[in-house]
Amino acid sequence: MALINCSECSTEVSDKAESCPKCGAPISGAREAIAAGAQIKTVQETSKKFKLQTLISVSLIIVGIVWLFTISSEPNNESSGIPGLLIFIGLVWYVINRFRIWWHHK
């Protein structure tokens, strides 16, 4: 067993490991692929753009729900349509984003 440097994060990893424990880059077979002159490429299945949009849409839903519950617990209940609108926009955005993730999935 020998220690080699990960091609992605330069962490010392066993050459028998299947992937780097720090970054997840493939290691097993890497030595043979590098010896053959092939480039090792790590592919991220879901782009960061879609992950960020999912996070924002879920945040909108949570803010809308919390806002709705705080308004309903107040004595002078002059409910505003804004919390409901935030929840609706967040749900629609989430569903559209999930469809886009499915569509672009490889």
Side-chain angles (χ1 to χ4, degrees), residues 36-57:
Q39 288 286 339
I40 298 175
K41 184 176 178 182
T42 305
V43 178
Q44 184 176 359
E45 291 295 324
T46 306
S47 74
K48 290 181 182 179
K49 172 180 70 172
F50 292 142
K51 290 177 183 176
L52 179 65
Q53 289 184 11
T54 300
L55 182 65
I56 292 171
S57 65

Side-chain angles (χ1 to χ4, degrees), residues 33-97:
I34 291 171
Q39 288 286 339
I40 298 175
K41 184 176 178 182
T42 305
V43 178
Q44 184 176 359
E45 291 295 324
T46 306
S47 74
K48 290 181 182 179
K49 172 180 70 172
F50 292 142
K51 290 177 183 176
L52 179 65
Q53 289 184 11
T54 300
L55 182 65
I56 292 171
S57 65
V58 169
S59 298
L60 278 176
I61 294 169
I62 292 172
V63 167
I65 289 172
V66 169
W67 192 352
L68 190 64
F69 280 121
T70 56
I71 286 177
S72 65
S73 65
E74 292 180 1
N76 9 345
N77 192 4
E78 297 176 5
S79 63
S80 173
I82 296 175
L85 185 63
L86 282 177
I87 295 170
F88 178 75
I89 290 172
L91 283 172
V92 169
W93 192 358
Y94 181 79
V95 169
I96 290 172
N97 195 45

Side-chain angles (χ1 to χ4, degrees), residues 14-34:
S14 167
D15 62 344
K16 306 253 188 254
E18 290 185 22
S19 63
C20 175
K22 184 175 180 185
C23 69
I27 300 295
S28 73
R31 183 184 264 171
E32 294 84 18
I34 291 171

